[in-house]
Amino acid sequence: MTSPIYRRIYAVVQRIPAGKVATYGQIARLADLGGHARQVGYAMHALPANSHVPWHRVVNAKGEISIRSEPLAAEVQKQLLEAEGIIFEKHSKINLHRYRWQTGSVKIR
DNA sequence: GCAGTGACTAGTA
DNA sequence: ATACTAGCCACTG
């Protein structure tokens, strides 16, 4: 069920402040996964719907929503982000320079 | 235990 | 600028 890796990923995602986003690779680095971003996406997919983890604040390195298997969830994610003040550009992209969570060199474990 | 899968990323063309 | 490829490795059947 919830492996240690998953819980570490969720712990990092929960640190993302409202109105900010983080990339999969960023989460992987902060969670000491060695930059294995795919596992972050996998963990998000396994996340139960009733979780309080702000999964919608996680986007890919291009600033786009990456959900392939659940296109409906992508719409939900977009609306949740817009509700937090994040403005989407063309092709449902967001400006990472403006909205990316600035974690600096602080690692979260 | 092995093979297939994937909410990714960085590189190359 | 976009499109394709290889590498990555936990999870699933």
Side-chain angles (χ1 to χ4, degrees), chain A residues 33-47:
Chain A
L33 300 181
H36 299 140
R38 305 199 74 153
Q39 300 314 125
V40 177
Y42 208 93
M44 294 299 106
H45 187 246
L47 195 60

Side-chain angles (χ1 to χ4, degrees), chain A residues 10-86:
Chain A
Y10 300 152
V12 174
V13 175
Q14 285 181 342
R15 305 297 190 94
I16 306 174
K20 293 288 181 179
V21 299
T23 67
Y24 295 97
Q26 183 180 6
I27 304 269
R29 183 168 49 80
L30 293 171
D32 287 323
L33 300 181
H36 299 140
R38 305 199 74 153
Q39 300 314 125
V40 177
Y42 208 93
M44 294 299 106
H45 187 246
L47 195 60
N50 57 345
S51 171
H52 54 287
V53 176
W55 57 271
H56 56 279
R57 296 181 189 141
V58 184
V59 298
N60 67 19
K62 304 189 203 90
E64 295 177 309
I65 294 171
S66 293
I67 303 176
R68 290 190 285 179
S69 56
E70 293 279 354
L72 194 63
E75 270 306 309
V76 175
Q77 179 173 10
K78 184 178 177 182
Q79 298 201 10
L80 286 170
L81 291 175
E82 286 177 335
E84 294 184 351
I86 293 177

Side-chain angles (χ1 to χ4, degrees), chain A residues 2-15:
Chain A
T2 49
S3 70
I5 292 178
Y6 277 24
R7 290 199 296 150
R8 204 164 356 165
I9 291 170
Y10 300 152
V12 174
V13 175
Q14 285 181 342
R15 305 297 190 94

